[in-house]
Amino acid sequence: SEKLRVPEALTFDDVLLRPRESRVEPDEADLTTNVSKNVELNVPVLSAAMDTVTESDLAIAMAREGGLGVLHRNTDTDEAVAEVQRVKRADELVIRREDVVTANPEQTIDEVDAMMERAGVSGAPVVNDDDEVLGIISGTDIRPYLEVGDEDTVEEAMTDEVITASEDLEARDALELMYEHKIERVPIVDAEDRLVGLVTMQGVLARREHEDAARDADGHLRVGAAVGPFEIERAEALDDAGVDVLFIDCAHAHNLNVIDSAREIKESVDADVVVGNIGTREAAEDVVDFADGVKVGIGPGSICTTRVVSGAGMPQITAVAEVADVAVQHDVPVIADGGIRYSGDAAKAFAAGADAVMLGSYFAGTDEAPGRVITMNGKKYKQYRGMGSVGAMQSGGGDRYLKEEPEDEEYVPEGVEAATPYKGSLASELHQMTGGIQSGMGYVGASTIPEMKSRSRLVRVSAAGQTEGHPHDVMITDEAPNYSPS
Ligand code: RVP
C-alpha cells in the first residue's frame, strides 16, 4: 500500500558525527550563537520553561553563565512580571532605593549595628526624613563606639564627607571613584541630593566575575519567558517588564489558530518571539515569515508521553534537520528542545542544524531549580515533571496541549511526574555540557556554531554501534561528572 511507503526519521542515538580534519582546539571553539534574530548568547544553551526547572533563580544562574533561562508559565501574570524583574535586577550596578538599607542619624550605634547585621550589609547611607544623604556609616565607623559608647548616635560616628554620584554612573567610573577615595560604596543621588540608589564595590566586582554573562543593551541579565499560545495580554505585560524573548509555548504550534495568535503577539511586542514547538518542514514554512526563532520538538522530552498517548511525533534529529533546512534560508534561528541527555546529543543537534539547545531534565536536579532535595534509598533526587503531567496541568497551562480545562479534573496527560538525580550547582552542570559540545566541534573541525552546522556530516549507527559507543564490558567504579549509565 502507498500508506506503508513511509519515510524514515532519526533521533540522537541513530547518528554520530563523522570525524573530520581539524585544527580546532576544543577549548578555543566559540560557542556564540543567536537564540532568536536579535538576541545573541555566549553559550548556546537554554533551560526549559517548566515549573520544576526555570524560575528566576535558575534563570539568573543561566544568564550569568552566558545562556538563557526561559521562565515557565504556571504563574499568574503579576508573578511572571515579578520573576522577569528579579532577573533584570539581579546583577544591576545600581541597587535601587527600595532595596537599599539606610540608617537615620538619630539611631544608636547599637541599633544600627544590629540592623546591618540582620540585613547582611557592612555599611549604609545615612538619610534624613527627606531622603537627603547626610553621611555613610560602616563597620569601620562604628567599631570604636561599640566598646565605649554604644548609646551614641549614628550622627556622631558616621563619615559625613560622602562621595556621591548621579544615576548615569558607569561601572568603570564607579570603580575609579572607589579606588581613588578608598571607599566601598557610592550613594547615587538625584539633583536634590536625595538618595535614589547605591553602588557597591562588591556589586561591581561580582559583575566582573561573569564576563560572559548574557546581558541586554543596558547591562541587565537576559531572560526569556513562556506564554500560552493565546495569551496576548500576558505577552504584553512581560514585554513591558523587559523580557528579551517570548516563547509561544505550545505542544503543536502548527495548529493554524496558534500561528494566527502568535503573529498577533509578534505585532504587539518589542521582545523577540520564538514560535514552537514544531517538527516538520511544512510547519517551518508557515512561521518563518514572522517568527524571530523556531523551537523544535514534538515528543522527544524525557518526561513526555505525547508519542505514546497521541501516536504523533517526530524523532528529534530529523525534526531539527527538516526545520533547519527551511529556517536557514530565512535567517531564523532554530532551537532543539527536548531529548538531550548527554553533551554529545547537543553536538548532534547542532550538526543537524540547530543554533541552540533547550534542556529540561539536565537542569532539573541542580540547586537553582525549584523544589527541594528528596532522599530515596539513600540517593538524592529532585522532582521533575512534564508540563503536560496531571500535576502540572492542575497548576495551569493545559492550553499548551490545546485542551480546555476539564470540569471533572479528568485530564488526559501527555507527560509524567518523576524524580531526577540531584546534581549540585548549575554552573558545573553547564560547564560539562559546553565542554562536551566544544569537544564535538573539535572532532568536526568547527570553530564556531555556524561552522558546526555547515561542516558536520552524520553517519548512521547500528544497534551494535550504539552499544559500542557506551562503556561496555566493564564495571564502572567511579562516577564520571558527565556520564551515568541510563
Ligand atoms: P528534556 O530535556 O528531555 O527533559 O525535555 C524538556 C522538554 O520537554 C521541554 O522543554 C518541553 O518542550 C518538553 N515537555 C515539557 N513538558 C512536557 C510534557 O509534559 N509532555 N514535555
Side-chain angles (χ1 to χ4, degrees):
S1 151
E2 209 30 55
K3 275 257 178 213
L4 296 180
R5 244 174 249 149
V6 290
E8 190 177 54
L10 304 174
T11 190
F12 299 107
D13 281 348
D14 295 318
V15 297
L16 281 168
L17 306 172
R18 186 184 167 90
R20 294 192 66 170
E21 82 283 354
S22 170
R23 281 191 195 278
V24 176
E25 308 302 339
D27 285 342
E28 275 148 35
D30 178 3
L31 292 173
T32 310
T33 198
N34 268 79
V35 65
S36 56
K37 280 191 178 162
N38 304 298
V39 175
E40 196 183 71
L41 300 176
N42 290 319
V43 164
V45 182
L46 287 72
S47 65
M50 300 173 72
D51 63 5
T52 47
V53 182
T54 312
E55 293 187 344
S56 51
D57 281 350
L58 191 124
I60 290 167
M62 282 295 291
R64 281 182 180 155
E65 299 304 318
L68 186 76
V70 183
L71 299 165
H72 71 83
R73 60 186 198 87
N74 272 1
T75 47
D76 60 30
T77 301
D78 289 345
E79 176 57 17
V81 164
E83 283 278 276
V84 168
Q85 286 167 343
R86 264 172 224 136
V87 181
K88 285 289 166 193
R89 285 181 190 171
D91 275 0
E92 233 167 19
L93 180 65
V94 179
I95 304 166
R96 286 167 204 235
R97 173 64 188 96
E98 61 265 32
D99 299 325
V100 178
V101 178
T102 54
N104 73 58
E106 286 86 45
Q107 260 176 316
T108 65
I109 296 295
D110 244 8
E111 278 165 3
V112 84
D113 185 47
M115 178 194 80
M116 295 201 306
E117 168 129 21
R118 258 197 320 272
V121 299
S122 57
V126 183
V127 295
N128 63 16
D129 292 343
D130 292 329
D131 236 11
E132 286 159 343
V133 180
L134 309 176
I136 206 151
I137 184 106
S138 72
T140 327
D141 298 325
I142 60 181
R143 219 163 291 134
Y145 287 84
L146 278 178
E147 298 295 322
V148 286
D150 48 16
E151 290 300 313
D152 287 321
T153 60
V154 165
E155 195 156 25
E156 290 161 62
M158 72 185 186
T159 306
D160 47 15
E161 270 171 42
V162 214
I163 310 291
T164 59
S166 60
E167 248 177 312
D168 51 9
L169 183 70
E170 306 258 342
R172 179 187 303 267
D173 301 333
L175 265 191
E176 228 163 71
L177 210 58
M178 289 190 272
Y179 284 135
E180 190 188 321
H181 297 279
K182 299 196 171 57
I183 49 177
E184 296 266 327
R185 43 190 80 70
V186 179
I188 304 295
V189 295
D190 63 13
E192 274 85 54
D193 237 12
R194 277 191 294 257
L195 186 70
V196 292
L198 182 72
V199 174
T200 67
M201 177 77 88
Q202 209 185 7
V204 179
L205 296 181
R207 279 164 63 100
R208 286 209 163 171
E209 236 178 80
H210 305 289
E211 270 189 348
D212 287 336
R215 296 189 191 280
D216 62 22
D218 297 329
H220 298 132
L221 294 175
R222 292 232 190 244
V223 64
V227 293
F230 306 107
E231 293 184 321
I232 293 199
E233 275 172 30
R234 184 184 177 100
E236 288 172 345
L238 293 168
D239 187 47
D240 290 341
V243 76
D244 296 281
V245 191
L246 285 168
F247 290 76
I248 307 294
D249 187 36
C250 183
H252 182 36
H254 203 190
N255 176 301
L256 299 179
N257 296 325
V258 169
I259 294 183
D260 290 345
S261 172
R263 224 181 261 280
E264 216 173 303
I265 290 176
K266 166 68 193 165
E267 269 159 31
S268 57
V269 298
D270 292 325
D272 273 6
V273 174
V274 170
V275 179
N277 280 9
I278 58 170
T280 63
R281 181 187 318 280
E282 300 80 48
E285 271 155 8
D286 284 351
V287 298
V288 284
D289 66 299
F290 73 95
D292 297 307
V294 288
K295 192 150 67 70
V296 179
I298 308 290
S302 58
I303 34 47
C304 183
T305 54
T306 292
R307 294 181 189 171
V308 194
V309 170
S310 72
M314 273 293 265
Q316 186 70 340
I317 287 289
T318 296
V320 170
E322 277 204 17
V323 170
D325 276 350
V326 178
V328 76
Q329 291 169 25
H330 296 79
D331 282 326
V332 176
V334 175
I335 301 160
D337 172 18
I340 291 172
R341 305 146 300 171
Y342 302 111
S343 47
D345 294 341
K348 294 172 190 179
F350 294 114
D355 295 88
V357 293
M358 178 177 264
L359 316 176
S361 77
Y362 191 83
F363 291 134
T366 61
D367 291 323
E368 290 86 346
R372 44 187 191 88
V373 179
I374 42 184
T375 309
M376 292 189 293
N377 300 326
K379 285 198 80 178
K380 290 175 167 179
Y381 297 87
K382 284 188 89 161
Q383 189 202 15
Y384 179 49
R385 67 182 187 186
M387 292 302 278
S389 66
V390 171
M393 289 221 267
Q394 277 166 344
S395 320
D399 52 348
R400 185 166 195 274
Y401 298 89
L402 301 167
K403 294 212 171 149
E404 303 269 318
E405 197 169 319
E407 267 161 34
D408 49 7
E409 290 264 312
E410 287 223 44
Y411 289 94
V412 180
E414 291 186 29
V416 296
E417 301 182 54
T420 183
Y422 167 69
K423 287 180 163 172
S425 81
L426 176 120
S428 73
E429 278 307 296
L430 189 57
H431 172 75
Q432 291 300 329
M433 177 55 60
T434 52
I437 295 169
Q438 286 176 309
S439 300
M441 294 168 77
Y443 282 104
V444 168
S447 57
T448 64
I449 295 290
E451 258 179 55
M452 184 69 173
K453 288 166 54 180
S454 58
R455 265 184 76 90
S456 301
R457 299 289 174 267
L458 296 170
V459 291
R460 182 71 201 269
V461 183
S462 66
Q466 218 203 98
T467 309
E468 184 185 61
H470 283 259
H472 53 87
D473 303 304
V474 295
M475 209 174 72
I476 296 179
T477 53
D478 289 290
E479 246 173 68
N482 54 0
Y483 182 80
S484 56
S486 45

